[in-house]
Amino acid sequence: MNNITIYLLHGAGAGHTSEFLTELNEQLSSATGLEVKAITLSYMKTMEETLSRRPPPKFEKLVDEVKGLIPSDEPCIIIGKSMGARIATQLTVSHNVKGVVCFGFPFYPARKTEKHRLSYLAAVTKPCLIFQGDRDTLGNQEWVEQQVLPETVDVRWVEGADHDFKRAKKYNTTLSQLLNQLSQLTQTWITKNCL
């Protein structure tokens, strides 16, 4: 198993210096014992250097950029947050991807279910695990459970969490505690489905 690398992809608005991705990287490394390589897309590097926000380029361009950064013949697992999850789903045909894990899949833009992104999941040819907050405005539980998803896709609901995995105070759970739990579940899932 140690010859498999995890590639971690960020979302549209926050890179790997964010609290979420910093914590997720550490928890995944600890739980899986695998090397976790964070990929920062070029537009995000510019954002971090200039400290000015900018929208990501067209999605196809982002997919092509990631394709060029990940060796196509080496076994890997791709884990993505939001937009990074969408990108990850597009690499299972072109690369030696053993599995995809999504933290907050953006099933549709906020309040625009008619512009859903189910076709991205239909393209996944390898096992895919989605952690989704039941308060996620980009894919709430009621809507997602009404859809027909491919058999390769396993959605696990995170009670009380929003798209950024912030939980309602009544759950009394820190982000670190939650990501520890989800990383342990990821490890179990990888062992069962990707090896």
Side-chain angles (χ1 to χ4, degrees):
M1 177 170 168
N2 289 335
N3 65 334
I4 294 180
T5 302
I6 291 176
Y7 289 96
L8 183 60
L9 306 178
H10 59 75
H16 290 285
T17 57
S18 69
E19 179 189 6
F20 180 91
L21 286 172
T22 300
E23 188 69 39
L24 180 59
N25 193 322
E26 291 176 6
Q27 297 285 0
L28 286 170
S29 296
S30 176
T32 65
L34 299 175
E35 181 179 9
V36 178
K37 292 185 178 179
I39 291 181
T40 301
L41 295 161
S42 54
Y43 87 93
M44 181 60 69
K45 289 179 183 175
T46 302
M47 269 179 55
E48 292 173 348
E49 290 166 3
T50 62
L51 300 179
S52 60
R53 293 186 66 80
R54 59 189 296 159
K58 289 188 184 293
F59 185 72
E60 293 74 18
K61 184 176 180 182
L62 297 174
V63 173
D64 287 341
E65 183 177 352
V66 175
K67 281 182 178 178
L69 295 171
I70 297 177
S72 62
D73 57 346
E74 293 180 9
C76 66
I77 292 164
I78 305 181
I79 297 179
K81 170 73 176 87
S82 194
M83 181 191 75
R86 281 175 66 200
I87 294 171
T89 63
Q90 303 307 290
L91 301 177
T92 59
V93 173
S94 61
H95 286 59
N96 187 12
V97 177
K98 300 301 181 185
V100 171
V101 182
C102 306
F103 282 80
F105 188 84
F107 282 92
Y108 47 77
R111 297 177 297 282
K112 295 181 180 178
T113 55
E114 72 281 1
K115 294 186 176 181
H116 66 76
R117 298 170 176 138
L118 296 176
S119 62
Y120 292 96
L121 295 176
V124 176
T125 60
K126 301 292 170 58
C128 176
L129 173 63
I130 298 175
F131 290 115
Q132 195 82 1
D134 64 5
R135 297 190 303 120
D136 193 331
T137 57
L138 306 186
N140 75 56
Q141 187 168 2
E142 181 182 4
W143 185 89
V144 172
E145 289 183 343
Q146 291 173 357
Q147 311 311 309
V148 178
L149 301 177
E151 289 185 6
T152 53
V153 176
D154 177 9
V155 181
R156 308 272 182 95
W157 293 100
V158 182
E159 191 175 351
D162 64 11
H163 189 65
D164 293 320
F165 291 85
K166 292 177 181 168
R167 273 183 137 174
K169 287 186 177 178
K170 70 176 184 178
Y171 291 94
N172 197 27
T173 310
T174 66
L175 180 62
S176 178
Q177 289 170 331
L178 178 58
L179 291 182
N180 176 271
Q181 294 169 11
L182 299 183
S183 294
Q184 296 294 336
L185 289 171
T186 298
Q187 158 62 13
T188 301
W189 181 85
I190 287 173
T191 300
K192 180 180 178 182
N193 297 281
C194 305
L195 302 180

